[in-house]
Amino acid sequence: MTTVGLIRHGITEWNLLGKAQGISDIPLNETGREQADKLGERLAGEEPWDLIIASDLCRATETAEIIGSKIGLSLHHTDEMIREVNCGEAEGMKEEERLEKWGKEWRTRALGMEKHEDVAGRGVRFLEEVVQKHEGKRVLVVSHGALIGLTLKRLMPDAFQQTNMENTSITVLHHHEDRWDCSLYNCAKHLI
C-alpha cells in the first residue's frame, strides 16, 4: 500500500486579502510559517514519512522545508504538475475587483484561466506517478487548495462533491490494488 499525505501550504498575505494567487509566486507570511511549524511538530509525533515533494511555488516549497526540518526529511523534489490552478487575468485580484471589472458571470468568461478538469487531470497524473515511483512508501505532498480539492473530486467523486482545504491541513490517501481510499480529510487539528 502506498500512502500519500496531501498538505495545503501555509497562509500568505494574498490569502488574507482574498486575492487569487494562482501561479503567482507568493511567499508564506509569518502565520503561514508558524502553521507549517505546528504541522511539522504534529507529524514528528506520528508514523514516519519516507519523502516529501512540493509544488515549485515558494509558498509550497517553504511549507515543505519547514515540515521537513521537523520530521528529518529534506525536500525530495519540486514538481510543476502540482502547482495551483492558473487564474489567468483574474490572478492577483480580489472577488470584488473581478465583479467590478467583468460582472457577476466573470467565471464564465475566457480570461486565460486553467480549466478545472485540466487541473484535476494534472493532480491525478501526479498521484499515479507517485504510486509508480514510490510504491509502498509514505509520501508527503505539499501543494495548493484548488489542486488538492479538484484532484480529490476526480479520484473519489462519491466521497468528495465539495472540498474546502484549510491552510496546512493534511488529507491522507491510501492506494492499494488500483483503488484509492481516504482515511483523513482536511485535518488541521494542529492549529487548534
Side-chain angles (χ1 to χ4, degrees):
M1 178 170 63
T2 305
T3 300
V4 178
L6 296 171
I7 297 170
R8 183 182 179 200
H9 63 79
I11 203 164
T12 70
E13 285 306 310
W14 277 25
N15 285 138
L16 293 176
L17 294 170
K19 291 184 175 187
Q21 290 182 111
I23 59 170
S24 297
D25 210 7
I26 308 303
L28 297 178
N29 64 15
E30 196 52 44
T31 302
R33 290 182 192 96
E34 290 169 11
Q35 291 173 329
D37 193 64
K38 287 177 180 177
L39 178 55
E41 288 176 9
R42 170 187 166 185
L43 295 176
E46 297 177 358
E47 186 177 350
W49 294 88
D50 296 309
L51 63 136
I52 188 167
I53 302 168
S55 154
D56 64 334
L57 298 176
C58 69
R59 59 192 183 267
T61 56
E62 188 178 3
T63 300
E65 288 166 350
I66 292 168
I67 292 167
S69 73
K70 296 290 182 180
I71 62 173
L73 289 177
S74 297
L75 183 58
H76 188 270
H77 72 275
T78 61
D79 199 315
E80 280 185 24
M81 279 180 70
I82 52 173
R83 277 184 168 192
E84 184 58 291
V85 58
N86 183 335
C87 293
E89 293 176 48
E91 207 142 304
M93 297 175 77
K94 297 179 186 180
E95 178 69 13
E96 55 267 23
E97 293 169 321
R98 295 185 290 260
L99 290 169
E100 186 178 307
K101 186 168 184 172
W102 298 302
K104 63 182 176 183
E105 301 297 322
W106 72 267
R107 283 180 169 74
T108 63
R109 298 177 64 117
L111 300 172
M113 293 180 72
E114 188 176 10
K115 291 182 173 81
H116 284 184
E117 322 66 269
D118 295 340
V119 178
R122 279 195 288 119
V124 170
R125 281 192 309 279
F126 171 81
L127 289 177
E128 288 168 351
E129 284 183 16
V130 166
V131 168
Q132 185 179 47
K133 293 177 182 173
H134 307 290
E135 187 176 353
K137 301 280 189 194
R138 292 174 48 80
V139 183
L140 286 175
V141 175
V142 182
S143 185
H144 306 270
L147 180 284
I148 294 169
L150 292 166
T151 301
L152 290 173
K153 286 182 192 181
R154 172 75 61 87
L155 276 182
M156 293 173 269
D158 294 336
F160 298 106
Q161 315 250 316
Q162 295 295 319
T163 58
N164 179 30
M165 313 312 293
E166 299 294 327
N167 289 101
T168 68
S169 68
I170 182 167
T171 297
V172 179
L173 303 179
H174 306 281
H175 184 268
H176 183 66
E177 296 178 355
D178 292 328
R179 205 166 70 85
W180 288 98
D181 293 308
C182 180
S183 63
L184 187 67
Y185 169 70
N186 192 36
C187 183
K189 68 181 181 182
H190 50 280
L191 300 180
I192 297 169

